[in-house]
Structure formats: C-alpha cells, structure tokens
Amino acid sequence: MRVELLCTGDELVTGLITDTNSTYLEARLFDLGIKVERVVLVGDVRADITQALTEAASRADVVVVSGGLGPTADDFTLECAAAAAGVPLAEDPRVLQWLQERYAARGLSPNPSALRMARVPQGAEPVRNPEGSAPLVLMKLGGAQLFFLPGVPREFRALLEGEVLPRIRAALDARPGRTHRAFRLLRTVGVPESELDLAVAPMAQRHPSIVFGFRTHAPENHLKLMAEAPSQAEADAALAAVEQECRQVLGRRVFGADAEGYAAVLLELLRQAGATLAVAESCTGGLIAQQLTAVPGSSSVFIGGAVVYSEKMKSAWVGVPAAVLDRHTAVSRETAIAMAEGVRAACGTTYGLSVTGYAGPGGGTPADPVGTVYCGLSVPGAPARCERISVTGDRDRVRLFAASHTLEMLRQHLLAASPLP
C-alpha cells in the first residue's frame, strides 16, 4: 500500500511550528507494516494545495491530509479538494448538527465562520470529531482514498487512532497477494550511527528478507528492522531471528524496542531492583529530573532532585565541602562525586546522580573547555565514581548529552549488578 501525507499551513513552511503529525503517522503506520513514501508540506496557497492533492492522488493508494479544516479564512483545504475533484462544496446537514450540538454544550451558537466547517466536497463522507469541531472527511480522488484531518495534534491523533488506522488496516488485510511485513525498532544510546551500521552490516547476507535502516534521535540512535515475506508467520519468524542476533551483537547498548522510552526503561530497572534515586544537577538545570518525572508513576523510585547551579547551593543543598570547591572548582571530578554522594545522603536514596560542566557558550578553561561535563554516580557499599565527557555543539546539545550520559551510567550499573533476562 502506497501512503503519502500532505500537511498544509503557512505556519509549517515558515518554521513557526514543528510538524509532529507526520512523525506520529509514520510511527503508527510502521506498526502496520506500512512505510510512508512521501511527506509534503504546502503553504496556504490554493493552487499549490490543489496541485499537491492531485499529484499525491496520482501516486498513492492512500493520502492523509492534515490541516486547513478550521473556521478561518486561511482554512480552505476542502475547497482545494473539491476543485481537484471537479465537484462543488455543499453544506452537510450531519456536520451542521454536530456543530450546533458542540456549541450548545458550551451555551453558544455557531457563528457564520464556524458554519464554514459544515461545507464538504459533494460526495465526501464526514465523520464526527470527538475532540474538536472540524470533522474528518473521507473522499476518493482518482484511484486514491483521501483522509482529511484537522491539523491540531490532539484532534489529529484521536481521529487517526479511532477512524483512519482501522480503515487502512481493513483495506490492507483485504488486498490479495500482498507482501506481509513485520517491524522492530531497536533503541540504542551511546552508539554512533556509523558504528551501529558497521555492527549489523555482516548480517545482511544472512538475513536476505530483512531491510535494515537507521534513525538518529539525539541522544539515541535507532536500528530499524523490516522483514518481508509471503505470510505474516514467515515475516514474524524472520524478524525474531534477526532481532535476536542484533541484540547479541549490540548487547546492553540496546535499551528498548519500538515505543519504549529511555526514562521509563530506567525507572523500571530501579523498580525491579527495589531501589530509589535522587539527582543533583548543575549545567543540566533540572533536565534529568524533567525526563524522569515525565513518566507516570516515577515517584515510586525517583525521590527528588536539586538544581544546584551556584557554588553556594552546591554546598547548602547537597553538602559539597567548601574546600572541594576552592581546591578543585565547581566543574571537576571531585565536585561531581561530592554532589552525587551529598544528594544521596540528603534524600536517603539507594543511588545518587550528579552532573556539572560547561554548557557554553561562555566559560570553560584550557584543561576543561566548553562542552566538558563531569557525571557522578554514588552507589551503596562502594566508592562513588565519576566519568568525564566532552560534548561538541551548542548549549542545548551539551545539556542533552550530559543528561543522557549520566542516566546511562546508572542503567549500566543496574544491569551489571542484577542482570535481567
């Protein structure tokens, strides 16, 4: 099945907002064994949208269109769809009723601008939007099935999950003689993309039914595995075989698969170990704590953290001795170790993590230039340890990789201490 995505809106092509709908759709279709063949971004120009719709419909079996269904003057995607199909727009009584009910629930009446959302191309099928006003609209253009969805991510995802994906799945299952596919995304951290490629390259000849792909999502690098076979059982078996070999080669550098997030995986390791964690952050400014607390239920193992940005707070909150700061400075191995030990003692946790460094653009010394970061780990029954890393790039990149490396120190320690199957 050939699938394309068309996203409309000046805000996308001018950089005012980031297109997240296409990446979400690609990931969900990936689970169905479908690879999106093309993603096109088009500004709010009628002729360009009409042409893009016509071209996409000439190439694809399915075109998912995002954006331009709202009540404002620049929402004219359905007008372009009608023009491409050579049909008029017509007010649909079902959509009109849905709008009236939605507004009435808020004690309002739909204004003339809102009523524009009831106009759909003649012959198209509207589907009620559970999260908003603009409906999902289904229509045929040439031999392609088009799905028009609102661009608001919350509404886009609700309609995609509830309406679009089930229809695509049913159409896919009904295709005679189709190639069956199985996918796996192996997530690694601390492995450069080039090294990941070299590690799995020898497997290609042993697994001819597998397509290998790579994706960088800093600080992670992902290995994409796609198996193709005449039956789903054969595709699943081929995928299982290559996944097992990849895991053997990459070892503990693989932290998860598919939708598993790094923080969630680490927190689960802590939970299984019956352990707790506290963090002391300087240059990352709370980024580690933010990543951990984004996971529901993290409070069962993550006790808390301190952003100890100044030397004063390094001493006051996590007990770094003034003598250590005077002798070794705030960015040093000794300070990182004292921070990790101090926050662990202050919070009464099993483990303590710390990070201090020069994120830039200013600061740094000849011995420790900008990008130098010291990451500390305090563990029970053993001396605290520290690792020094050097990160190139801007301030955000230094902070991101500093947080990642610090957390990875703990994950590797947990795996070594209590190997899990």
Side-chain angles (χ1 to χ4, degrees):
M1 181 179 287
R2 295 165 299 176
V3 179
E4 295 192 13
L5 174 60
L6 173 63
C7 300
T8 71
D10 281 346
E11 65 276 10
L12 297 176
V13 296
T14 56
L16 292 177
I17 67 170
T18 301
D19 167 34
T20 59
N21 288 342
S22 61
T23 54
Y24 185 84
L25 174 65
E26 289 163 349
R28 295 298 289 115
L29 289 177
F30 186 86
D31 295 335
L32 299 182
I34 298 173
K35 181 181 179 182
V36 173
E37 297 195 357
R38 191 185 303 249
V39 178
V40 178
L41 304 182
V42 185
D44 291 322
V45 179
R46 282 182 170 83
D48 292 348
I49 295 176
T50 303
Q51 180 180 351
L53 288 169
T54 303
E55 291 176 352
S58 71
R59 294 186 297 257
D61 302 304
V62 172
V63 181
V64 179
V65 186
S66 167
L69 306 187
T72 59
D74 59 352
D75 290 319
F76 42 70
T77 298
L78 291 180
E79 294 179 30
C80 298
V87 299
L89 283 175
E91 187 174 85
D92 189 288
R94 293 166 294 181
V95 182
L96 186 61
Q97 180 180 346
W98 298 337
L99 288 171
Q100 291 171 340
E101 291 173 353
R102 181 172 178 81
Y103 275 76
R106 293 180 287 172
L108 302 171
S109 297
N111 57 45
S113 293
L115 293 177
R116 295 177 69 246
M117 291 183 286
R119 302 172 69 227
V120 302
Q122 190 176 70
E125 176 190 354
V127 177
R128 190 166 192 167
N129 181 349
E131 297 290 341
S133 300
L136 163 69
V137 176
L138 285 63
M139 67 174 285
K140 288 280 190 177
L141 184 58
Q145 174 65 59
L146 275 60
F147 298 93
F148 294 87
L149 295 91
V152 179
R154 174 174 53 85
E155 300 179 32
F156 179 89
R157 295 181 182 190
L159 287 166
L160 188 71
E161 297 292 345
E163 301 290 344
V164 177
L165 290 177
R167 286 175 166 83
I168 291 177
R169 185 182 296 109
L172 191 64
D173 291 340
R175 294 171 74 90
R178 73 179 181 94
T179 297
H180 292 260
R181 291 172 175 170
F183 287 87
R184 180 70 73 244
L185 186 72
L186 295 181
R187 297 172 173 260
T188 73
V189 67
V191 188
E193 191 176 29
S194 58
E195 290 186 17
L196 193 59
D197 185 21
L198 287 172
V200 301
M203 302 180 198
Q205 290 186 343
R206 296 193 293 274
H207 301 276
S209 64
I210 302 296
V211 177
F212 295 84
F214 306 89
R215 181 179 74 179
T216 294
H217 185 67
E220 302 172 14
N221 280 308
H222 300 162
L223 172 61
K224 298 184 292 183
L225 304 171
M226 180 179 73
E228 297 182 321
S231 70
Q232 193 60 51
E234 291 174 283
D236 291 341
L239 179 66
V242 75
E243 179 183 358
Q244 181 180 20
E245 186 170 349
C246 287
R247 286 182 178 274
Q248 289 174 344
V249 169
L250 297 172
R252 292 174 178 172
R253 292 177 293 181
V254 175
F255 70 82
D258 299 334
E260 290 180 309
Y262 185 92
V265 169
L266 176 60
L267 289 166
E268 181 58 27
L269 287 176
L270 285 166
R271 196 172 289 114
Q272 292 181 26
T276 54
L277 171 67
V279 300
E281 303 182 62
S282 183
C283 65
T284 49
L287 182 57
I288 294 175
Q290 179 185 6
Q291 293 176 357
L292 295 173
T293 56
V295 180
S298 58
S299 61
S300 64
V301 293
F302 178 60
I303 303 306
V307 177
V308 287
Y309 212 53
S310 68
E311 291 190 10
K312 175 183 177 181
M313 302 318 297
K314 287 179 174 66
S315 295
W317 283 359
V318 295
V320 178
V324 170
L325 294 168
D326 291 341
R327 185 177 303 125
H328 301 286
T329 78
V331 178
S332 64
R333 185 178 307 275
E334 291 78 8
T335 296
I337 288 175
M339 288 168 59
E341 291 178 331
V343 76
R344 177 174 167 240
C347 296
T349 53
T350 314
Y351 297 105
L353 287 175
S354 68
V355 57
T356 182
Y358 297 114
T365 67
D368 288 328
V370 169
T372 299
V373 179
Y374 289 91
C375 310
L377 169 63
S378 176
V379 304
R385 46 186 281 253
C386 177
E387 294 183 4
R388 179 186 185 273
I389 62 172
S390 180
V391 184
T392 59
D394 61 15
R395 183 178 181 85
D396 287 343
R397 191 172 190 274
V398 173
R399 284 157 45 89
L400 179 65
F401 277 80
S404 174
H405 189 90
T406 305
L407 290 171
E408 181 64 2
M409 286 176 63
L410 177 59
R411 188 180 75 92
Q412 292 296 337
H413 174 83
L414 290 167
L415 292 175
S418 301
L420 300 171

